[in-house]
């Protein structure tokens, strides 16, 4: 990546790779001076006297392995604090517990299916009100805010239609109102490509299961903040609700961070090649990739990000049968849910990740039977393009036979 930024995007965040490797990893914190932080599996810690401990007392409340990870992620997010959770949805749950019955959440209408399901079917049973709004239009967001609004939840890019939301504009609109928090799900971008807190967000959260860990072998959530009071409230909830990750998972995610800059650069490179290939293919109706000039918010993503991840959605020509046949015939891309690992994945949102979203809402959002979502991995570019080509050929050969 060039020092001045790639293809007109923001320049890379300074010292990112160095921080990914060294922040929170100081050997001096261990009596052994281990360069690689050890895994601390103990659930309890010896006290010198009643109530006098060396920073840890019980592993749910705090753990050395988790502490290393949280320090590293805070540095990468340009944040003062980070908290780790057992999953991305556990992080969402903890953030939601900042609210009380009668409060309102405004959520972007196009979000991860699990977030949609949690807000619609679980949060409302806690007495919270949830409204879904197209926050890519700031005027719609402004019109939706009421005295009861306490949390605005956005994803950018959105899942799965990859809309880009102007984080700074949303922050400006939200912060005109007292005691309203803006939370940004930064899962798709990772800390390498986007820093929501520097754009005015109060909370940056991740499903670290995806790009932040990057190896499809850990389920985890992360939340970064700068506000001291907000951190203390979330820290209390982290301990009280108990949805914390294991020390081993913290070690694994911490390890994954060390290659985050290298991985994200290659994800961007491969995704751009795949997007260009699909956009030029007559068997494809439409390609949605923010890194292409054809994306309606291409200029916006260049203003607020340092690059693009490996997420692409496209509409295959034909019908559900064409989409299903295409997916079944992929060989390098694996037909599976999730995203952000080193391996390339493909899925059908309407049937898989977003099946819990009401059908009428899916249709309004453009999550049709011909929409395919790709998570482009780190394989050789030529093998990815060859695989897509042969699967498209199979889809149209079988469906026209």
């Amino acid at each position: 990546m060039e020092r001045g930024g790639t293809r007109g995007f923001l320049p890379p965040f300074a010292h990112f790779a160095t921080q990914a490797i060294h922040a929170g990893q100081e050997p001096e914190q261990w009596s052994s001076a281990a360069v690689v932080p050890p895994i601390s599996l103990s659930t309890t810690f010896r006290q010198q006297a009643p109530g006098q401990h060396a920073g840890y007392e019980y592993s749910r409340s705090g753990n050395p392995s988790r502490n290393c990870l949280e320090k590293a992620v805070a540095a990468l997010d340009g944040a003062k604090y980070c908290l780790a959770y057992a999953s991305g949805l556990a992080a969402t749950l903890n953030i939601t517990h900042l609210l009380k019955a009668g409060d309102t959440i405004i959520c972007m209408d196009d979000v991860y299916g699990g977030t949609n399901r949690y807000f619609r079917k679980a949060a409302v049973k806690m007495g919270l009100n949830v409204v879904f709004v197209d926050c890519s239009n700031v005027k719609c967001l402004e019109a939706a805010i009421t005295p009861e609004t306490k949390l605005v939840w956005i994803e950018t890019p959105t899942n799965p239609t990859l809309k880009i939301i102007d984080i700074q504009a949303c922050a400006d609109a939200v912060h005109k109102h007292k005691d309203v928090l803006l939370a940004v799900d930064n899962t798709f971008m990772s800390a390498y490509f986007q820093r929501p807190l520097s754009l005015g967000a109060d909370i940056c959260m991740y499903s670290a299961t995806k790009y932040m860990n990057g190896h499809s072998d850990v389920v985890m959530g992360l939340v970064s903040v700068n506000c001291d009071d907000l951190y203390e409230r979330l820290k209390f909830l982290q301990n009280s609700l108990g949805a914390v990750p294991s020390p081993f998972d913290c070690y694994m995610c911490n390890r994954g961070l060390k290659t985050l800059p290298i991985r994200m650069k290659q994800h961007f490179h491969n995704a751009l090649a795949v997007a260009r290939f699909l956009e030029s293919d007559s068997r494809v109706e439409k390609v949605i990739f923010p890194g292409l000039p054809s994306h309606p918010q291409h200029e916006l993503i260049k203003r607020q990000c340092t690059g693009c991840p490996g997420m692409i959605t496209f509409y295959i020509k034909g019908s559900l049968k064409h989409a299903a046949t295409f997916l079944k015939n992929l060989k390098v891309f694996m037909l599976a849910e999730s995203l952000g690992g080193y391996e390339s994945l493909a899925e059908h949102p309407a049937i898989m990740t977003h099946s819990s979203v009401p059908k009428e809402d899916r249709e309004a959002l453009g999550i049709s039977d011909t929409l395919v979502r790709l998570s482009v991995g780190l394989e050789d570019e030529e093998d990815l393009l060859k695989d897509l080509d042969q699967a498209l050929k199979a889809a149209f050969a079988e469906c026209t036979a």
Side-chain angles (χ1 to χ4, degrees):
M1 183 172 286
E2 302 159 10
R3 287 189 179 276
T6 296
R7 305 175 187 91
F9 285 81
L10 291 177
F13 300 119
H15 314 297
F16 191 97
T18 301
Q19 290 177 327
I21 292 170
H22 295 292
Q25 319 297 298
E26 297 80 5
E28 292 76 18
Q29 66 189 299
W30 317 112
S31 59
S32 64
V35 173
V36 176
I39 306 171
S40 181
L41 295 175
S42 182
T43 60
T44 190
F45 302 85
R46 182 182 179 183
Q47 301 193 14
Q48 303 305 313
Q52 296 180 21
H53 54 78
Y56 303 99
E57 49 189 329
Y58 185 62
S59 200
R60 170 170 41 78
S61 305
N63 176 276
S65 299
R66 191 166 86 226
N67 187 49
C68 280
L69 171 65
E70 290 174 341
K71 285 182 177 179
V73 175
L76 299 184
D77 273 330
K80 195 171 180 180
Y81 308 105
C82 176
L83 295 163
Y85 300 90
S87 68
L89 279 170
T92 304
L93 170 72
N94 275 258
I95 294 168
T96 305
H97 268 72
L98 293 168
L99 279 56
K100 66 181 186 305
D103 289 344
T104 295
I105 299 170
I106 295 175
C107 180
M108 175 65 189
D109 58 358
D110 181 29
V111 290
Y112 165 55
T115 303
N116 184 296
R117 179 178 60 237
Y118 169 70
F119 283 152
R120 284 184 185 275
K121 297 187 177 181
V124 293
K125 292 184 178 179
M126 296 164 54
L128 296 170
N129 302 308
V130 183
V131 293
F132 292 86
V133 174
D134 181 4
C135 296
S136 64
N137 185 333
V138 179
K139 290 183 178 180
C140 291
L141 170 59
E142 290 175 332
I145 297 175
T146 69
E148 288 73 40
T149 302
K150 298 302 175 186
L151 175 65
V152 174
W153 187 280
I154 63 175
E155 290 180 6
T156 180
T158 62
N159 184 0
T161 63
L162 304 182
K163 292 180 184 176
I164 306 302
I165 299 173
D166 189 329
I167 298 173
Q168 183 68 66
C170 286
D172 290 344
V174 167
H175 294 147
K176 290 176 184 176
H177 304 267
K178 186 180 178 182
D179 298 328
V180 184
L181 296 170
L182 174 63
V184 177
D185 184 337
N186 205 35
T187 298
F188 271 26
M189 294 304 288
S190 86
Y192 185 71
F193 283 141
Q194 183 168 266
R195 282 184 170 173
L197 298 181
S198 70
L199 296 168
D202 300 293
I203 298 171
C204 171
M205 71 79 60
Y206 302 91
S207 169
T209 310
K210 292 23 179 225
Y211 285 112
M212 294 294 274
N213 177 62
H215 292 73
S216 299
D217 52 11
V218 167
V219 173
M220 188 183 292
L222 298 166
V223 171
S224 293
V225 299
N226 280 323
C227 174
D228 296 346
D229 177 67
L230 184 56
Y231 168 72
E232 293 298 334
R233 292 164 65 197
L234 286 168
K235 181 68 176 173
F236 172 81
L237 290 169
Q238 182 194 47
N239 184 47
S240 299
L241 297 176
V244 295
S246 73
F248 182 74
D249 282 351
C250 290
Y251 164 82
M252 292 288 281
C253 187
N254 190 26
R255 185 184 187 190
L257 292 178
K258 307 301 175 258
T259 59
L260 180 62
I262 298 171
R263 289 188 285 108
M264 297 314 294
K265 290 175 189 178
Q266 192 62 30
H267 281 300
F268 188 8
H269 172 87
N270 281 355
L272 188 59
V274 167
R276 286 170 173 165
F277 168 79
L278 292 172
E279 193 168 53
S280 66
D281 196 293
S282 61
R283 297 162 294 191
V284 173
E285 187 70 40
K286 180 183 178 182
V287 176
I288 306 173
F289 179 62
L292 288 176
S294 57
H295 192 285
Q297 295 147 319
H298 179 63
E299 293 304 317
L300 171 58
I301 199 170
K302 288 196 295 183
R303 290 199 306 272
Q304 70 180 18
C305 304
T306 66
C308 290
M311 301 308 300
I312 299 172
T313 54
F314 72 95
Y315 293 91
I316 190 171
K317 287 183 177 178
S319 62
L320 173 59
K321 185 177 180 181
H322 289 83
T325 305
F326 165 78
L327 290 166
K328 288 189 292 184
N329 278 278
L330 289 168
K331 295 178 172 58
V332 178
F333 282 84
M334 283 178 266
L335 177 57
E337 295 191 7
S338 200
L339 58 105
Y342 54 77
E343 74 289 345
S344 290
L345 302 176
E347 65 108 4
H348 191 277
I351 295 176
M352 298 168 67
T353 55
H354 289 70
S355 61
S356 62
V357 178
K359 188 173 187 297
E360 60 273 19
D361 291 342
R362 290 202 308 268
E363 291 175 349
L365 292 168
I367 306 174
S368 70
D369 287 343
T370 58
L371 182 69
V372 174
R373 191 187 77 181
L374 302 178
S375 174
V376 181
L378 307 179
E379 299 91 344
D380 289 312
E381 174 188 323
E382 62 182 306
D383 294 325
L384 295 173
L385 302 186
K386 183 178 179 181
D387 189 37
L388 292 168
D389 185 48
Q390 66 81 22
L392 285 167
K393 285 179 180 176
F396 283 85
E398 182 176 321
C399 294
T400 57

